[in-house]
Amino acid sequence: MNEKVTIRRLNTGVPGLDNLLGGGLPEFSFNLITGAPGSGKTTLAHQIMFAQTSPDKRALFFTMVGEPALKMFRYQQQFEFFDFTKINQSIRFVNLSEDLLKGDFASVLSRMVTEVQDYAPSFIFVDSFRSLTRSAEQMENGLSELQRFLQQLVLQMAGWQATTFLIGEYGPSETESNPVFTVADGILELSQSVHRNSMVRKIQVVKMRGQAQTPGLHTFRISKQGLHIFPRAIVEQFKAVDSSPKIAAGEDRISMGIPGLDEMLGGGLPVGYSLLVVGPTGSGKTILATEFLAEGVRRGEPGVIAAFEKSPSQLLSNKLQTLIQSGQVGVIDTRSLNLSIDETLHDLISMIKNIRAKRVVIDSLSGFELALAPEFSEDFRGSLYRMVAELTGMGMTILMTSELEDRYTDLRFSPFGSAFLADAIIVQRYIEIESQFKRVFSVVKVRGSTHSKDIRLFDIIDSGIVIGETLPDYRGIMSGRPTVSQADDRRQP
């Protein structure tokens, strides 16, 4: 062979799956779809089949179980990808259960060969292939007969010039001993688990010959549209957030929209930075985030906000409601539970691309963690790390808020130990002055840049946040010692 063979890649029609496979499904490949009952194997196979078939590219779907095709149609037609016009035109279903019950594997193979020769399909599906193994176990010399059948079937598939799929339920031990796993060109493994009343479904590309697939487990959902896979964000080595300076000379900065805050940040927030705003409840975190988005719109920089604690009607001011209606700010309502960070990241990226956003707000990390399925919240720091790296890698400027208990006598920046993710940090706090609670804030970090060290009073009025004067002796207030004004009062006769 002197010429390099080019393998055409087929689009599966399953959102997110082509990315995992490395660009699509290799044409004429022999693939195995495996997983526990209810994990979505048959739905995935049907979704691929209906997306691929046409009058010129037909499909044969062999069923090995006893249930009739009509029963399967009853459930599969609930999905939007199901197209009745393709049945018997581009797709043909063949039930082999009667041939299988006779215990004659040779006749099963002969029937399959005849159907393939008569129909000349481009795609062949066998569901459930695991049924053959169970039948063989009940026959005398059944396993040896099944071994010969498998070898002959694989040889036939190699000569059929069709993209083939075997669908079955296999345990971990069988993946090492079953010859099907050895000869398969591609293996897709689906799984599902229940963790504290949360159902989590995942898919893994165990094997895909001839192309670089995305490793690891990736979450997916089954909806009326079928399977939707959310590829896990992969942070390349040395690409993610680190402690080295990021600002180059003349680096662009963006305005926060609050008079005086840009100066405290050293001239504004650098483009592509992640800013963490932490503080107790009611301290003004969401209002600061709102001003950040509104300023972006005024400067032609659309934004997206992911709301985890409040509904959009509770979260947004009248001016932001107007901006949303005009399409300049997008809102992702993420109040539903059992989310994964990869699913949230997918929704964010889709909306960012749709409105060409430049600014992103996540309000708040505290609510975000609560909205995640328990399995994902256990690795919240790692997942958040990947998410921030992916968004900043796209050039997005991010503002994240985080609820933080005000203990008055100690200073913390994050309840999750996730402050290292942020390129800049603003801390909001309450203090007591003359029997009143006052709000103060300070810029405690801007990576690679000088910034104000002042602790400033601020107030919230109808028009937004107003920054006030610098505190004269903040340590005295925090430690219980008299403030400057209190000391002056005590010296009075």
Side-chain angles (χ1 to χ4, degrees), residues 59 82 132-133 197 235 248 275 308 333 378 394 450 457 459 484:
F82 194 94
L132 292 176
T133 304
N197 296 325
V235 179
L275 168 64
F308 292 97
D333 186 5
E378 291 177 355
M394 295 172 59
T450 59
L457 286 164
D459 201 1
V484 173

Side-chain angles (χ1 to χ4, degrees), residues 407-425:
R407 297 183 179 178
Y408 296 95
T409 57
D410 65 354
L411 190 61
R412 294 180 300 149
F413 299 144
S414 171
F416 312 106
S418 55
F420 76 98
L421 293 172
D423 301 306
I425 299 176

Side-chain angles (χ1 to χ4, degrees), residues 446-461:
V446 179
R447 181 169 286 155
S449 173
T450 59
H451 60 86
S452 171
K453 307 300 191 298
D454 293 341
I455 298 172
R456 304 283 293 272
L457 286 164
F458 74 95
D459 201 1
I460 300 174
I461 60 176

Side-chain angles (χ1 to χ4, degrees), residues 15-301:
L17 182 55
D18 292 343
N19 293 339
L20 299 189
L21 297 176
L25 194 69
E27 189 176 28
F28 306 141
S29 58
F30 169 38
N31 304 282
L32 183 64
I33 301 176
T34 180
S39 60
K41 303 183 301 297
T42 300
T43 301
L44 175 61
H46 277 81
Q47 194 169 351
I48 294 173
M49 180 175 65
F50 277 96
Q52 288 291 329
T53 51
S54 65
D56 296 330
K57 295 181 179 181
R58 298 182 294 181
L60 263 178
F61 198 104
F62 293 104
T63 59
M64 298 286 186
V65 294
E67 64 178 17
L70 287 177
K71 182 179 180 180
M72 184 168 53
F73 289 164
R74 178 184 179 186
Y75 294 100
Q76 289 298 313
Q77 68 183 263
Q78 306 303 316
F79 295 105
E80 293 182 359
F81 61 75
F82 194 94
D83 186 353
F84 271 108
T85 63
K86 292 188 175 183
I87 304 300
N88 297 327
Q89 297 293 327
S90 303
I91 299 173
R92 182 176 179 182
F93 287 86
V94 178
N95 194 317
L96 299 175
S97 59
E98 293 185 5
D99 301 86
L100 186 61
L101 288 174
K102 296 177 182 178
D104 187 354
F105 288 116
S107 66
V108 174
L109 181 60
S110 176
R111 172 83 184 278
M112 295 176 72
V113 171
T114 300
E115 293 287 351
V116 170
Q117 291 175 345
D118 292 344
Y119 200 65
S122 299
F123 302 92
I124 300 171
F125 298 81
V126 182
D127 185 18
S128 155
F129 197 72
R130 186 70 173 88
S131 302
L132 292 176
T133 304
R134 292 173 178 171
S135 298
E137 292 172 348
Q138 299 174 0
M139 305 175 189
E140 186 177 356
N141 300 323
L143 292 178
S144 60
E145 292 292 331
L146 175 62
Q147 180 73 13
R148 285 192 292 271
F149 170 79
L150 288 175
Q151 294 173 351
Q152 294 173 356
L153 179 60
V154 170
L155 291 175
Q156 290 288 345
M157 286 182 167
W160 279 340
Q161 290 295 293
T163 307
T164 55
F165 300 84
L166 303 184
I167 307 162
E169 302 163 10
Y170 294 93
S173 60
E174 293 177 284
T175 62
E176 300 178 358
S177 59
N178 197 305
V180 175
F181 287 83
T182 303
V183 298
D185 300 312
I187 302 175
L188 302 178
E189 182 178 1
L190 281 67
S191 63
Q192 60 183 3
S193 60
V194 178
H195 192 174
R196 288 189 290 176
N197 296 325
S198 297
M199 171 67 76
V200 178
R201 289 188 167 96
K202 294 186 178 182
I203 185 171
Q204 179 181 10
V205 182
V206 178
K207 176 182 179 182
M208 189 56 60
R209 281 179 175 153
Q211 56 197 54
Q213 67 272 14
T214 303
L217 295 170
H218 308 267
T219 58
F220 71 92
R221 284 188 182 271
I222 301 178
S223 64
K224 291 184 178 180
Q225 290 76 34
L227 271 73
H228 193 142
I229 299 169
F230 307 99
R232 184 169 55 92
I234 304 296
V235 179
E236 298 178 3
Q237 191 175 15
F238 307 121
K239 172 185 175 183
V241 180
D242 55 42
S243 58
S244 60
K246 297 177 63 174
I247 302 178
E251 184 76 25
D252 290 337
R253 294 179 182 250
I254 64 175
S255 175
M256 297 295 296
I258 298 173
L261 181 54
D262 291 347
E263 289 77 8
M264 294 186 68
L265 290 168
L269 185 64
V271 173
Y273 264 37
S274 56
L275 168 64
L276 179 63
V277 181
V278 297
T281 182
S283 61
K285 302 182 298 295
T286 299
I287 294 176
L288 192 152
T290 299
E291 295 298 330
F292 171 75
L293 288 173
E295 180 66 14
V297 171
R298 285 193 289 269
R299 294 175 179 267
E301 302 167 359

